[in-house]
Amino acid sequence: MMRCLPLFLCACSAAAAPNRPPATAADLLANSGASDWRAPDPEQTIYMDLPAGRVVIELAPDFAPAHAANIKTLVRAHYFDGLAIVRAQDDYVVQWADPDADTPRKRPIPAAKMGLAPEFVRGIDRAQPFTPLGDADVYAPEVGFSRELPVARDPRSRTTWLAHCYGMVGVARDEPPDTGSGAELYVVIGHAPRHLDRNITLVGRVLAGVELLSTLRRGTGSLGFYTSADERTPIVRVRVAADVPASERERLELLRSDGPLFRRWLDAKRYRTEKWFVAPAGHLDLCNALVPVRTAKAGDGNR
Amino acid sequence: MMRCLPLFLCACSAAAAPNRPPATAADLLANSGASDWRAPDPEQTIYMDLPAGRVVIELAPDFAPAHAANIKTLVRAHYFDGLAIVRAQDDYVVQWADPDADTPRKRPIPAAKMGLAPEFVRGIDRAQPFTPLGDADVYAPEVGFSRELPVARDPRSRTTWLAHCYGMVGVARDEPPDTGSGAELYVVIGHAPRHLDRNITLVGRVLAGVELLSTLRRGTGSLGFYTSADERTPIVRVRVAADVPASERERLELLRSDGPLFRRWLDAKRYRTEKWFVAPAGHLDLCNALVPVRTAKAGDGNR
C-alpha cells in the first residue's frame, strides 16, 4: 500500500493548489541562460542521414549501455549505410533494418554482438539524477526525468526504466527477450505505447528530424511493414557525431532536466497561464513534458 | 477527498489482481459477432476527400450538438470544397480552413453560424452510456467511453467532456472562447494533448484515413502553419455520408463500447497475454484504448 500513497496525494493536491507561475513555458525558454542548456555528448549521438534530411539520436548509455555500445559498433562498421526504413505503422512506430535480414542475402555483421541480454530495467542508483514530474502516472508508481530523458520508477522494487514517449528509440526484438541487438531500431511516432515499457530495450531519443520519420507513408503490410522495395526509404549513412568534424556537427542543446528552470517549465506546462486557456489542467502527463531541444543559436528552437 | 478514492483504489488494485483473460485483443476481435459492432450514423458522418484518398469523420452530437449541426450546414453549402489543409505540426495537430480567411478574398459563409457558444463540457446525464476504462487518469477523476468515444468525467461537478486522443477532431478557435464555428477544424496526430480538454470544442473522431493527415509534411511556419500555397494539400470535397448514395458509402463499423466484448477487449489490452510480453503493464491509458474500427467485411480491419 505504501507505493500508492504518493499517487493518491499527488493527483489530488495538484488540482487544489495551482500556484500559478508568472511566466509561460515559452517565456521561460526565451529568457533562459546558457547554463540552463547542455549539448548532446558527441560520443553518444548518432546522425542518420535520409534522402530528405538528418535524424539526430542521443543514445542512453545510463539505461542501455550494452545496446548503445553495440549500436555504435554497428554504425562504425557502416552496417546501416544503404539499409532502409522497413516499417511505418500509424500512431505507433517507424522502424529500420536490413530488408534482407531474413534471407541468405542479409548483410554480414562483422564486429557487433547479436542477441544481447535485455536492458529493460535497471536498478535505482543514488548517483543517477532524477527530477520528479510532480504528477501521477497511469503506468508507473513514479515518473520524471533523468539526464533529459523521460523515466519511470518503482521504489518498491528499486528499479527504473525509460518511458515509451514520442520520439523515443528502441531495439526491436523477436519473441525471446534476448533477441535484440540494435541492428533493427524503432522510433515512437504516435501516442506513447507505454505498455511496451519494461518489455523491450529503449536506447535513446530523437533530438531532431523526427518529422522525417513521422511523415513517411504508412506500410500496407501487417504491422505497417512495407511490402515492396520501392516503398522503403533508403538510409544514406549513419555516423557517430564524434566521428564527424566538430565544425560540421549539429548545434543542438537540451534543457537540463536537473536545473531550476526545468522545474519552472514543468509548472508552466501544468498550469497554463496563456490567456487562450480557460481551464488549465493542473496536471501534466510525462509524455507531454518532453525536454525541449533547441539549436544552439539563441531563440532558434527546433521543436 | 471523495473524488480521489476511486483513483487511489483503481491504480493499486489493477496491478495486484491481474485476472488475465484467456484471449488476446486480436483474438477477441477475430471471434466477435455482428452484434458487437455498429455502423456509423450516416447523418453524423463526414467524408473529406483529399487527392490521396478519403478521411471519414464521425461527429459527436452528444457532446457538441451546435458545432456538429453547424459543420453539416457548412458541408452542405459546399463551404469546404476547394479549401485546404493549412497546418501540420509534428506530434500535435493537422488543421484545415479557408487559407484566405483573414483576407478580403475569404470565402463567404452563407447559412452557417459564426462564433458559437463553447461546447467544452456538458452535464452528466443518466441516459448517456458510460463504460469506465477501469484505470486511473492523469488529467481527470474518471475516464471511459460513451458511444464509442473516449471521454473524461468529474463526478463532483457532474460534468463530462471528450478527450483529446489521437484522431479526435476539434474546432479551432481564437483567444475568446466563443470564436469557434467549425469552419476551421483540427485532428490530433500525436501524443494526446489532454491539456486542451475543456478548453476547446471537440466534435468527433476520424474513423478512417487519419494516415492521410498524419503523413502530411509539416509546416515550417509558426505552430506548423504552411507559409506558401504550394505546401498546402487541397480539399477536393466534403460530404455528409447521408447525402451519398447508400451503395457508395464506406462500409465501416465500430466495436460497441457498451457491450461485453469491449470490456473484455479492454482487459486484454491491459493484461497482455501475447507471449512476446514479459511484463504486462496491468494498466491502460485511455488514449491507448481507442475503440476499434473495421471495414464491414469480416476480418478486414482498417486500423
Side-chain angles (χ1 to χ4, degrees):
Chain A
M1 291 297 281
M2 278 298 284
R3 61 180 279 232
C4 302
L5 198 58
L7 182 71
F8 168 74
L9 288 174
C10 174
C12 305
S13 63
N19 185 25
R20 287 196 181 190
T24 67
D27 288 340
L28 290 170
L29 298 189
N31 296 314
S32 61
S35 65
D36 294 315
W37 302 81
R38 73 160 175 89
D41 177 355
E43 183 56 31
Q44 300 297 342
T45 302
I46 301 292
Y47 295 163
M48 177 166 72
D49 291 339
L50 303 177
R54 177 169 292 173
V55 178
V56 179
I57 295 166
E58 190 174 35
L59 298 172
D62 276 8
F63 285 85
H67 287 79
N70 215 43
I71 289 167
K72 288 196 290 179
T73 300
L74 288 163
V75 168
R76 285 176 162 144
H78 304 284
Y79 174 74
F80 293 103
D81 302 1
L83 297 187
I85 313 289
V86 296
R87 177 188 186 191
Q89 185 172 359
D90 199 65
D91 190 21
Y92 200 48
V93 296
V94 159
Q95 194 161 318
W96 57 94
D98 179 357
D100 297 321
D102 296 330
T103 77
R105 286 170 300 153
K106 71 179 175 187
R107 182 172 292 201
I109 298 176
K113 299 187 186 92
M114 299 306 287
L116 294 174
E119 293 176 310
F120 301 165
V121 301
R122 52 157 287 174
I124 290 178
D125 182 338
R126 291 177 76 104
Q128 192 191 25
F130 177 71
T131 301
L133 171 66
D135 235 306
D137 185 73
V138 171
Y139 289 92
E142 270 185 20
V143 288
F145 302 86
S146 185
R147 296 209 168 94
E148 291 66 68
L149 289 164
V151 302
R153 321 208 299 179
D154 180 358
R156 199 172 52 170
S157 63
R158 295 200 58 74
T159 55
T160 181
W161 57 94
L162 294 172
H164 274 84
C165 296
Y166 195 92
M168 291 294 288
V169 182
V171 174
R173 68 164 173 91
D174 296 326
E175 198 170 284
D178 61 355
T179 48
S181 68
E184 185 156 358
L185 296 166
Y186 65 89
V187 169
V188 173
I189 59 149
H191 188 73
R194 297 282 308 281
H195 54 282
L196 299 179
D197 290 4
R198 292 191 278 189
N199 284 281
I200 192 162
T201 300
L202 283 171
V203 72
R205 180 188 165 204
V206 175
L207 300 185
V210 73
E211 72 282 359
L212 300 172
L213 302 173
S214 60
T215 57
L216 291 174
R217 71 164 157 175
R218 307 319 190 207
T220 53
S222 173
L223 302 176
F225 279 92
Y226 296 118
T227 55
S228 65
D230 67 297
E231 292 178 296
R232 296 181 196 125
T233 299
I235 296 170
V236 178
R237 65 174 170 179
V238 181
R239 289 177 294 173
V240 178
D243 300 343
V244 174
S247 62
E248 296 170 25
R249 290 183 201 149
E250 301 295 322
R251 293 167 51 78
L252 298 173
E253 290 180 335
L254 296 94
L255 187 64
R256 291 180 185 277
S257 64
D258 56 353
L261 186 67
F262 184 69
R263 289 165 206 257
R264 292 178 64 201
W265 181 84
L266 289 177
D267 270 345
K269 298 275 280 185
R270 191 167 7 240
Y271 309 112
R272 305 263 176 167
T273 54
E274 296 92 339
K275 278 188 184 169
W276 186 90
F277 285 90
V278 298
H283 294 290
L284 187 57
D285 181 68
L286 177 69
C287 294
N288 277 324
L290 298 180
V291 170
V293 180
R294 68 172 188 181
T295 55
K297 260 187 182 169
D300 191 8
N302 72 332
R303 276 184 69 89
Chain B
M1 291 299 280
M2 279 297 286
R3 62 180 278 234
C4 302
L5 198 59
L7 182 71
F8 167 74
L9 289 174
C10 174
C12 306
S13 63
N19 185 25
R20 286 196 181 192
T24 67
D27 288 340
L28 289 171
L29 298 189
N31 296 314
S32 62
S35 64
D36 293 315
W37 302 80
R38 73 158 174 89
D41 178 355
E43 183 57 31
Q44 300 297 343
T45 302
I46 300 293
Y47 295 164
M48 178 167 71
D49 291 339
L50 303 177
R54 176 169 293 173
V55 179
V56 180
I57 296 166
E58 190 174 35
L59 298 172
D62 277 7
F63 286 85
H67 287 79
N70 215 43
I71 289 166
K72 288 195 291 179
T73 299
L74 288 163
V75 168
R76 285 177 163 144
H78 303 283
Y79 175 75
F80 294 103
D81 302 0
L83 297 187
I85 312 289
V86 296
R87 177 188 185 190
Q89 184 172 359
D90 199 65
D91 191 19
Y92 200 48
V93 296
V94 160
Q95 194 162 319
W96 56 95
D98 179 356
D100 297 320
D102 296 330
T103 76
R105 286 172 300 154
K106 71 179 175 186
R107 181 171 294 200
I109 299 176
K113 300 188 185 92
M114 298 306 287
L116 294 174
E119 293 177 309
F120 301 165
V121 302
R122 52 157 287 173
I124 292 178
D125 181 339
R126 292 177 76 105
Q128 192 190 27
F130 177 71
T131 301
L133 171 67
D135 235 305
D137 185 73
V138 171
Y139 289 92
E142 271 185 21
V143 288
F145 303 86
S146 184
R147 296 209 170 92
E148 291 66 69
L149 288 164
V151 302
R153 319 208 301 177
D154 180 359
R156 200 173 50 170
S157 62
R158 295 200 56 76
T159 55
T160 181
W161 57 92
L162 294 173
H164 274 84
C165 296
Y166 195 94
M168 291 295 286
V169 181
V171 174
R173 68 165 173 92
D174 295 326
E175 197 170 284
D178 61 355
T179 50
S181 67
E184 184 155 1
L185 296 165
Y186 64 91
V187 168
V188 173
I189 58 150
H191 187 73
R194 296 282 310 281
H195 55 283
L196 299 180
D197 290 5
R198 291 192 278 187
N199 283 280
I200 192 163
T201 300
L202 283 171
V203 72
R205 180 188 164 203
V206 175
L207 300 186
V210 72
E211 73 281 358
L212 300 173
L213 303 173
S214 60
T215 57
L216 292 173
R217 71 164 156 173
R218 307 318 190 208
T220 53
S222 173
L223 302 175
F225 280 91
Y226 296 119
T227 54
S228 65
D230 66 298
E231 292 178 296
R232 298 181 194 125
T233 299
I235 295 171
V236 178
R237 65 174 171 178
V238 180
R239 289 178 294 173
V240 178
D243 300 344
V244 174
S247 63
E248 295 170 26
R249 290 183 201 149
E250 301 296 322
R251 293 168 51 78
L252 298 173
E253 290 181 335
L254 296 94
L255 187 64
R256 291 180 186 277
S257 64
D258 56 354
L261 187 67
F262 184 68
R263 288 164 205 258
R264 292 177 65 201
W265 181 83
L266 288 176
D267 270 345
K269 298 276 280 186
R270 193 169 2 242
Y271 311 111
R272 305 263 176 166
T273 54
E274 296 93 338
K275 279 187 182 169
W276 187 90
F277 284 91
V278 298
H283 294 290
L284 186 57
D285 180 68
L286 177 68
C287 294
N288 276 325
L290 298 180
V291 169
V293 179
R294 69 172 188 181
T295 55
K297 259 187 182 170
D300 190 10
N302 72 333
R303 273 184 72 89

